Amino acid sequence: MHGYTTDKDDYLKRLRRIEGQVRGIARMVDEDVYCIDVLTQIAAVTKALQAVSIGLVEDHLGHCVVDAARRDPDEGQAKVKEAADAIARLVRS
Amino acid sequence: MHGYTTDKDDYLKRLRRIEGQVRGIARMVDEDVYCIDVLTQIAAVTKALQAVSIGLVEDHLGHCVVDAARRDPDEGQAKVKEAADAIARLVRS
Amino acid sequence: MHGYTTDKDDYLKRLRRIEGQVRGIARMVDEDVYCIDVLTQIAAVTKALQAVSIGLVEDHLGHCVVDAARRDPDEGQAKVKEAADAIARLVRS
Amino acid sequence: MHGYTTDKDDYLKRLRRIEGQVRGIARMVDEDVYCIDVLTQIAAVTKALQAVSIGLVEDHLGHCVVDAARRDPDEGQAKVKEAADAIARLVRS
C-alpha cells in the first residue's frame, strides 16, 4: 500500500495514454513526418511523464513521508532524504 | 526525406524500447511497486526521450537547416528560427 | 525560523558564488567570448541554482512539512500540496 | 565577432538583471524569507537564464553554424555537432 494507491486507476490511464503517444511518435518517424513535428510530440510526452512524476511525489510526501515522520523522527528524516534524492533526479532529467 | 531518415531504424528501435519501458512503469504501478522506484524509472524514460530529441535536433540542423541556408539565406533564417523554437520547447519540457 | 536556517551560511556562500558566476558570464559576453563557451557557463550556473533549490526543498520537507504534519494532519496536507507545487515549478524550470 | 554580437547590449542588460535577482535571493535567505518563496524566485532566475541560452543558441545557429556550412560542408557538420552537444547540456541542466 503506497501513496499512489488511491489514484492507481488514474495513473494507469495516464500511463497507457503516454504509451500510445510513444507508439504514435514511432509511427511518425516511420512515416518520415517532419523532424520539428516529431520533436513537438516528444516534448508533449515528456511533459506528461513529468506530470505523472509530480503527482507521485505529492502522493508519496502526503502518505509515506508524513506517516513515517509521525511514527518516528529518524524514519521521517530518512524518508525525506530519499524523497529529496528522487526529486533531484527528476529536476535533472 | 528528412534529417533523421538515415538513422530511422535506430530511432525506431529506441522508441520501441521506450514504449516498452512506459508499459513497464504501468505494470509497476499496477503491482504497487514502491513510489520511489517508479519515479526512478520515469526519470530514466524521460532521459531516453531527451536523448532521442537531441539526436533529432542534431540531424535536423545538419540536414534541413544547413541545406536551407545553402539554398537561400532567408529560408535558412526561417529554419533557424523554427529550430530554436523547438529547442526552447525541449529545454522547458 | 525556516527549514534552511541551520545551513544559512552555506546557502549564502553558494548564492554569492553564483552571483559571481553570472557576473562572469556578463563579462564573457562583453569580451565577445565564443557562444558555445558562454552556453557551457550558463549551464553550470543553472545546475548550481538547481542544487540550491534541491537543498532548500529537502530542508523544507524535513522541517516545515514534517513539523506541520506532526502538529495537525490537515495542516500537513496543505504543506505537502504547497511543496509539490513548488517542486513542479522546479521540474518545469 | 560572434552570433550574439549584434544583440550584445540586450544580453548584457538581461545578465545584469539576473545578477541582481541572484543577489535578491541571497538577501531573502539572509532575512529568513519562507522557503517556498525563495524556491519560486530561484525558478524565475533559472527560466531567465534558459531564455538567455536559447537566444544565444538561435544567434549561434543563425550566424556561426550557417556561415560555416556555407563556407565548407565539413566545417558546417563540425559546428552542428558542437552546437548539438551544447544544446544537450542545456536540456540536461
Side-chain angles (χ1 to χ4, degrees):
Chain A
M1 169 77 198
H2 297 302
Y4 61 76
T5 315
T6 47
D7 296 320
K8 206 164 129 167
D9 285 347
D10 178 57
Y11 281 120
L12 286 174
K13 215 186 307 176
R14 289 158 77 182
L15 286 164
R16 304 260 179 250
R17 200 182 315 133
I18 290 168
E19 191 194 324
Q21 285 176 298
V22 175
R23 197 160 39 237
I25 293 168
R27 205 177 311 120
M28 289 170 90
V29 167
D30 196 37
E31 296 172 354
D32 294 317
V33 167
Y34 185 47
C35 333
I36 297 291
D37 297 328
V38 180
L39 284 170
T40 303
Q41 197 53 26
I42 296 181
V45 171
T46 306
K47 266 183 192 298
L49 278 171
Q50 284 177 344
V52 169
S53 293
I54 291 163
L56 288 173
V57 166
E58 183 172 346
D59 293 343
H60 182 65
L61 295 175
H63 295 89
C64 313
V65 175
V66 154
D67 292 352
R70 279 211 204 91
R71 267 195 309 272
D72 176 78
D74 285 350
E75 207 191 322
Q77 289 313 310
K79 286 287 177 200
V80 163
K81 178 82 189 78
E82 185 190 54
D85 290 346
I87 293 163
R89 281 193 294 275
L90 216 67
V91 170
R92 287 184 194 124
S93 76
Chain B
M1 169 79 196
H2 298 302
Y4 61 77
T5 314
T6 47
D7 298 320
K8 206 165 129 167
D9 285 347
D10 178 57
Y11 282 121
L12 286 175
K13 215 187 305 177
R14 289 158 77 183
L15 286 164
R16 303 259 181 252
R17 199 181 317 134
I18 291 169
E19 190 194 325
Q21 285 176 297
V22 175
R23 198 160 38 239
I25 294 169
R27 206 176 312 120
M28 289 170 91
V29 167
D30 197 36
E31 297 172 353
D32 295 315
V33 168
Y34 185 48
C35 334
I36 297 291
D37 298 327
V38 180
L39 284 170
T40 303
Q41 198 51 27
I42 296 181
V45 172
T46 307
K47 266 182 193 300
L49 278 171
Q50 284 176 344
V52 169
S53 293
I54 291 163
L56 288 172
V57 165
E58 184 172 345
D59 292 343
H60 181 65
L61 295 176
H63 294 89
C64 313
V65 175
V66 154
D67 292 352
R70 279 213 202 91
R71 268 196 308 273
D72 176 77
D74 284 351
E75 207 191 320
Q77 290 312 310
K79 286 286 176 200
V80 163
K81 177 85 190 78
E82 186 190 52
D85 289 346
I87 293 163
R89 279 193 297 275
L90 215 66
V91 171
R92 286 182 196 125
S93 77
Chain C
M1 168 79 195
H2 298 303
Y4 61 76
T5 315
T6 47
D7 297 321
K8 206 165 129 168
D9 285 348
D10 178 57
Y11 281 120
L12 286 175
K13 215 186 306 176
R14 289 158 76 182
L15 286 164
R16 304 260 181 251
R17 199 182 316 134
I18 291 168
E19 191 195 324
Q21 285 176 298
V22 176
R23 198 160 38 237
I25 294 168
R27 205 176 313 120
M28 290 170 89
V29 168
D30 196 37
E31 297 172 355
D32 294 316
V33 168
Y34 185 47
C35 333
I36 296 291
D37 297 328
V38 180
L39 284 170
T40 302
Q41 197 53 26
I42 295 182
V45 171
T46 306
K47 266 184 193 297
L49 278 171
Q50 284 176 344
V52 168
S53 293
I54 291 163
L56 288 172
V57 165
E58 183 173 346
D59 293 343
H60 181 65
L61 295 175
H63 294 90
C64 313
V65 175
V66 155
D67 292 352
R70 279 212 203 91
R71 267 195 310 271
D72 177 78
D74 285 351
E75 206 191 321
Q77 289 313 311
K79 286 286 177 201
V80 163
K81 178 84 189 76
E82 185 191 53
D85 289 347
I87 292 162
R89 280 193 296 275
L90 215 66
V91 170
R92 286 183 196 123
S93 77
Chain D
M1 169 80 196
H2 297 303
Y4 60 77
T5 315
T6 47
D7 297 321
K8 208 165 128 166
D9 286 347
D10 179 56
Y11 282 119
L12 286 175
K13 215 187 305 176
R14 289 159 77 183
L15 286 164
R16 305 260 180 249
R17 199 182 315 132
I18 291 169
E19 191 195 324
Q21 284 176 298
V22 175
R23 197 160 39 237
I25 294 169
R27 204 177 312 121
M28 290 170 91
V29 167
D30 196 37
E31 296 172 355
D32 294 317
V33 167
Y34 185 48
C35 332
I36 297 291
D37 297 328
V38 179
L39 284 170
T40 303
Q41 198 53 25
I42 295 181
V45 171
T46 306
K47 267 183 193 297
L49 278 171
Q50 284 177 344
V52 169
S53 293
I54 292 162
L56 288 172
V57 165
E58 184 172 345
D59 293 342
H60 181 66
L61 296 175
H63 294 89
C64 313
V65 176
V66 155
D67 291 352
R70 278 212 204 90
R71 268 196 308 272
D72 176 77
D74 285 349
E75 206 191 324
Q77 289 313 309
K79 287 286 176 199
V80 162
K81 177 84 188 78
E82 185 190 54
D85 289 346
I87 292 163
R89 280 192 296 274
L90 216 67
V91 170
R92 287 184 195 123
S93 74

